[in-house]
Amino acid sequence: MTCAKGLADHHFWLAAIEIVASLLLLFRRTQRVGLPLLLAVFSVAMILNLHNGGLPFGLVLFGASAVTIVLLDGAIR
């Protein structure tokens, strides 16, 4: 497991933005900002994962789960 070595490390920024985006999903008014931000983070993580020779199936599942949560929250309003 690698750790961020400073604020310039992309792992730190991806994790920080992912946390903020996930918190934005908690409130209906901010879901329209949080979901695209979260999907953008997952997209960057997928590209980095593919570049390093990995298969980002987990990230696809996380993105689909986030979309499903927001859609179901909108359906029960």
Side-chain angles (χ1 to χ4, degrees):
M1 180 162 85
T2 61
C3 295
K5 294 175 181 50
L7 293 179
D9 191 5
H10 67 276
H11 291 109
F12 172 83
W13 289 110
L14 278 176
I17 295 169
E18 182 180 355
I19 290 168
V20 170
S22 297
L23 292 173
L24 289 173
L25 290 181
L26 292 174
F27 307 103
R28 287 185 178 160
R29 290 184 178 184
T30 58
Q31 285 178 349
R32 291 183 185 256
V33 175
L35 183 62
L37 189 60
L38 191 61
L39 293 177
V41 168
F42 289 155
S43 297
V44 171
M46 283 182 205
I47 292 168
L48 291 172
N49 198 334
L50 286 170
H51 178 69
N52 292 330
L55 294 173
F57 293 122
L59 293 168
V60 172
L61 180 64
F62 296 154
S65 298
V67 170
T68 302
I69 289 168
V70 171
L71 290 176
L72 286 176
D73 185 50
I76 62 173
R77 281 191 211 182

